[in-house]
Amino acid sequence: MTVLSRGLLYDLKVLDDDGNAYSQETLQKALNYIVGETGREGPHVSYLTSCGRSDWATSHEDLIKMDPVNAETLKKVEDSIIVICLDSQPWCGKQGKLSAMLYGGEEVGNRWYDKHQVMIDPNGNVAACFEHSFSDGAVWARWFNEVYCCIADIHSGYSPLPQLTLAKSAEPGELVHPLEVRTG
């Protein structure tokens, strides 16, 4: 999956080479590692995904032509299953939560509007924003229902999700890979 933190992109490996899932504890350590990383700077290309579709398409092509590293980075984001947006500022009040969920609030550079994304603030508030087509609404409704039922320990009426085989633990540095975008 892709993680955005302070507008910077990271590739987070969630499965080992055999397709086994890393544990919640291992992934939490990796996310904390990302949040704690400082000193990294770079262009916040995620802003471009909030532009009109044709403008974003043009910018996307320009970035690819500019540097082969950009092509690799954009491909990794496109191939990821989801983008996790780790906000640095809490969402304050109803208006703050709504603005963070709908258009990024004060952290619009920490969104990737061309992918399904889950946003999380430092207080643990969670929201989702996703590209929507005629066929995926039911899938997302089922996903939200399953997550809610799992958290609330409620039987959902669906067959339980299969248990995943857990991968051996790994250090955050093995799972987290900063992604680079070069603009000049």
Side-chain angles (χ1 to χ4, degrees):
M1 73 175 62
T2 299
V3 177
L4 261 166
S5 180
R6 297 171 316 280
L8 299 171
L9 293 162
Y10 298 84
D11 183 49
L12 175 58
K13 187 175 178 179
V14 296
L15 301 174
D16 70 9
D17 294 336
D18 296 322
N20 301 316
Y22 289 105
S23 70
Q24 178 181 338
E25 180 182 322
T26 299
L27 295 176
Q28 183 64 49
K29 286 179 184 176
L31 292 171
N32 287 338
Y33 175 85
I34 291 169
V35 169
E37 188 179 58
T38 58
R40 200 167 152 247
E41 296 289 328
H44 294 224
V45 248
S46 55
Y47 280 112
L48 298 172
T49 68
S50 67
C51 296
R53 303 297 293 165
S54 59
D55 292 336
W56 165 231
T58 300
S59 297
H60 185 276
E61 288 303 314
D62 291 345
L63 286 167
I64 288 172
K65 289 176 189 171
M66 198 174 295
D67 195 298
V69 169
N70 296 344
E72 292 172 27
T73 293
L74 292 171
K75 175 120 176 70
K76 284 186 183 208
V77 175
E78 291 159 9
D79 288 349
S80 69
I81 192 166
I82 199 165
V83 174
I84 303 295
C85 306
L86 302 175
D87 284 359
S88 60
Q89 301 298 313
W91 306 336
C92 298
K94 185 177 181 180
Q95 186 60 41
K97 288 178 184 178
L98 289 173
S99 66
M101 289 185 279
L102 295 174
Y103 58 86
E106 295 179 28
E107 298 192 60
V108 70
N110 208 45
R111 300 292 184 268
W112 196 274
Y113 289 106
D114 207 29
K115 288 291 286 186
H116 297 328
Q117 53 190 331
V118 173
M119 295 90 62
I120 306 166
D121 85 344
N123 293 333
N125 292 302
V126 178
C129 182
F130 53 92
E131 284 287 310
H132 182 60
S133 71
F134 75 95
S135 63
D136 68 359
V139 173
W140 279 91
R142 165 88 190 266
W143 182 78
F144 284 124
N145 184 61
E146 290 295 316
V147 169
Y148 171 76
C149 289
C150 182
I151 291 169
D153 198 24
I154 298 171
H155 179 65
S156 67
Y158 294 107
S159 299
L161 297 172
Q163 292 295 317
L164 296 173
T165 304
L166 291 182
K168 292 180 182 176
S169 187
E171 292 301 313
E174 299 173 69
L175 305 179
V176 175
H177 304 284
L179 298 175
E180 185 180 0
V181 177
R182 297 177 182 168
T183 57

